[in-house]
Amino acid sequence: MTPRSKRAAGRIGTAIVLAGALTALAGCAGGGGSAAGGPISMYTWVSSQSDRDQWQGFIDLGKKVDPKLDVTIDGPSFNDYWTKVKTRLSGSNPPCLLTTQAARAQELGGLLMPLDDLIKKYKLDTSAFDASMLKGMTVDGTIRAIPYDAEPIVLYYNADNFKKAGLALPSTTYTRDQFLADAKKLTTGTHKALAIEPGFFIPNAWAIADGAEAVKKGKLDLTNSDLVDQVQSYFDLVHKEGIAAAPNAADGSDVAQAAFTGGNTDMLIEGPWMYGTFASAAKFQMGVTIVPSTSGEAHGMTAGSGFGIAKNCKDPDGAFKAIQAMTDTSVLKAQAVKRGIVPSRADAQSAWAEGKTPEAAAAVTALLGNATAQLTTPTWNQVETLFTQYGVEGYRGDKSAKDVMNTIQNSVGQ
């Protein structure tokens, strides 16, 4: 759950789903720096009881894999985690286990121990995990965390309204031209086909679907022509094509989400972790397809989280054994069913499909078959904040994508 600290505060079920599904395990204040044999403390984001329950679920299920597993949990809210984790590690008795998102691994890179030697020592088969997520959690050529989920961004749609308009339901291929034609037919008067959330997370998924990226060789690259063209095409959905309304900078993600589940719009781009929440709230048949691309082929942007080990951990072997247990196939399958995560292990991903439509499962599978993790930089919070501010002008046609992205790149100054 996704990039996303700015977005976490404003989405439907944030505390329940985003901080939970996109988040990851928890860390405890006591025992982290203890000698081998003691309990392993895990420091993570704990925004709600739901978060704590999820982390405890990983631990309880992990104990079935390794009965000796002994992990404790502690941590602040999701938004506070990214700053407080640095202070927590510099204090007395620091934790051993940390959680991170692929989108934030670069930011926490200086705090996380390279895991390559431990992976080799304990013969963990990394090929069993989603390759895009492992790449996202690689810093300076070394793996810093083992992912437990791999969540490709999808397009939700109101299947009832598609049928009423005489439109074919999207499949695992969906071209931008077809998407636009469908959206224009669904847009009538003040009713818009697409709901748009503020921030850069979703425009970034739109860009990645067509092969453009915002980070190159670890550096912010917001002004490359491919990315600028993609952002402009997303802005154009509002002020040129008229199929969506411009979001307000002060809006939370919940505004667009409520518009979709309330039937006031017909489509929304979001993460698969929201499936259960949307399905419960919507009074219509909900469909899931890929984020449209020019070719129509699936290219997913994955967001997800995982477990890493603090550099100053005194029991890295114990911590790594805990990670192995909590990312076991049986654990990820159970968490997929209970918590709605899309597991990072390919052999566990079928569990997410339980309770979902075959079309939704096919879309997620197709997106994971050609996926790119959302890669960020330590300055990403500034990027999100500035895009939320200046992006509104882009949607309204007051500024071009080139102007907006130049402003952000220059302001962040990487």
Side-chain angles (χ1 to χ4, degrees):
M1 301 212 192
T2 199
R4 292 180 63 90
S5 58
K6 296 293 290 184
R7 307 180 75 244
R11 55 170 61 233
I12 289 178
T14 293
I16 297 176
V17 181
L18 175 59
L22 245 185
T23 48
L25 305 152
C28 159
S34 62
I40 300 294
S41 67
M42 184 163 60
Y43 192 73
T44 186
W45 48 92
V46 187
S47 296
S48 66
Q49 185 60 44
S50 179
D51 283 358
R52 186 171 293 278
D53 290 344
Q54 172 165 284
W55 309 148
Q56 192 61 49
F58 277 102
I59 296 168
D60 292 345
L61 292 164
K63 285 181 179 178
K64 295 181 180 180
V65 178
D66 179 4
K68 296 180 180 179
L69 181 66
D70 187 6
V71 175
T72 55
I73 302 167
D74 186 38
S77 69
F78 179 81
N79 285 343
D80 290 340
Y81 175 78
W82 306 100
T83 53
K84 289 187 175 181
V85 64
K86 299 167 187 177
T87 304
R88 181 69 185 84
L89 287 180
S90 63
S92 60
N93 199 25
C96 255
L97 286 174
L98 303 177
T99 57
T100 188
Q101 296 177 326
R104 310 295 286 264
Q106 298 292 328
E107 184 176 343
L108 299 188
L111 309 178
L112 294 167
M113 176 185 297
L115 300 181
D116 298 68
D117 289 343
L118 288 166
I119 288 170
K120 183 177 181 180
K121 180 178 180 178
Y122 291 99
K123 299 179 181 179
L124 178 65
D125 181 12
T126 55
S127 68
F129 294 86
D130 180 78
S132 68
M133 287 301 302
L134 282 175
K135 182 178 179 181
M137 292 183 173
T138 296
V139 180
D140 295 332
T142 58
I143 296 173
R144 303 302 176 95
I146 303 300
Y148 64 81
D149 68 341
E151 314 268 4
I153 307 308
V154 299
L155 174 68
Y156 292 92
Y157 63 90
N158 185 324
D160 290 347
N161 284 355
F162 265 70
K163 293 175 182 177
K164 288 177 184 176
L167 301 172
L169 300 183
S171 65
T172 53
T173 59
Y174 200 30
T175 66
R176 294 265 173 97
D177 286 345
Q178 187 61 56
F179 161 76
L180 192 56
D182 291 344
K184 285 187 174 181
K185 191 164 185 180
L186 290 164
T187 298
T188 56
T190 59
H191 177 89
K192 303 295 185 181
L194 178 70
I196 288 182
E197 300 178 1
F200 187 56
F201 184 73
I202 298 304
N204 198 18
W206 175 270
I208 284 176
D210 244 26
E213 296 186 54
V215 174
K216 183 178 181 181
K217 295 181 179 179
K219 300 292 185 182
L220 202 61
D221 188 27
L222 300 179
T223 57
N224 74 77
S225 59
D226 290 339
L227 180 66
V228 168
D229 288 347
Q230 288 298 316
V231 174
Q232 186 62 58
S233 71
Y234 199 68
F235 285 161
D236 287 349
L237 298 179
V238 176
H239 83 273
K240 181 179 178 182
E241 306 295 352
I243 66 163
N248 296 311
D251 287 349
S253 300
D254 59 321
V255 175
Q257 292 170 2
F260 172 68
T261 58
N264 297 315
T265 63
D266 309 292
M267 293 184 278
L268 175 72
I269 300 174
E270 248 300 347
W273 56 84
M274 296 301 294
Y275 187 101
T277 300
F278 290 169
S280 296
K283 305 302 181 185
F284 51 82
Q285 181 186 354
M286 185 177 73
V288 176
T289 186
I290 68 170
V291 175
S293 63
T294 299
S295 68
E297 298 302 311
H299 186 173
M301 183 183 88
T302 48
S305 305
F307 307 114
I309 301 175
K311 278 189 175 180
N312 58 355
C313 173
K314 294 181 181 179
D315 186 12
D317 288 87
F320 192 77
K321 289 178 182 178
I323 291 175
Q324 282 187 293
M326 293 188 294
T327 57
D328 184 80
T329 298
S330 62
V331 174
L332 300 189
K333 280 186 174 181
Q335 289 290 70
V337 173
K338 186 174 182 179
R339 309 297 307 192
I341 68 168
V342 178
S344 58
R345 283 181 175 269
D347 60 359
Q349 287 166 358
S350 61
W352 183 83
E354 294 186 25
K356 315 296 191 305
T357 64
E359 292 78 14
V364 166
T365 298
L367 289 163
L368 287 175
N370 180 24
T372 297
Q374 180 192 213
L375 301 181
T376 66
T377 65
T379 57
W380 199 254
N381 272 345
Q382 294 172 262
V383 173
E384 279 284 355
T385 299
L386 291 171
F387 191 93
T388 298
Q389 176 184 349
Y390 294 115
V392 173
E393 296 177 271
Y395 289 119
R396 293 173 179 169
D398 297 330
K399 284 188 177 181
S400 68
K402 183 176 181 180
D403 291 336
V404 170
M405 302 309 273
N406 273 327
T407 297
I408 298 173
Q409 180 83 39
N410 293 333
S411 297
V412 173
Q414 196 182 68

